[in-house]
Amino acid sequence: MAEFVEGIGRYVYDAAGGTVATVMRKRDAAGTVTETLTHVATVQTFLAWCAAMRAVEADILRHQARQNVVTMSDFAADHAATSKNR
């Protein structure tokens, strides 16, 4: 078995069973951590989900890049307008 740990949980790969389990981690106000098994998927399903999440991530990054370009161009236009008034 192998596992990948992230902030809110972990993914546990079971090579013998050919599955990946998703375990969510919660911390209460007292600091007690509880873990709950939320999903068990075949490796193929898990890899397809990962590919879909990478596609979503790429869309988010493209959108953010467009926002940054617009923001920077707006900033440049504002700067040009205000520097003429000096």
Side-chain angles (χ1 to χ4, degrees), residues 9-64:
R10 57 196 172 102
Y11 301 102
V12 182
Y13 169 56
D14 178 6
T19 60
V20 178
T22 303
V23 180
M24 299 305 293
R25 180 178 295 141
K26 291 184 181 179
R27 184 182 307 271
D28 65 16
T32 304
V33 175
T34 57
E35 291 188 333
T36 305
L37 176 67
T38 58
H39 298 89
V40 176
T42 65
V43 171
Q44 292 82 3
T45 300
F46 180 75
L47 292 175
W49 177 81
C50 289
M53 290 301 100
R54 283 192 295 275
V56 169
E57 178 186 24
D59 284 344
I60 290 168
L61 293 174
R62 277 192 297 276
H63 178 73
Q64 288 177 330

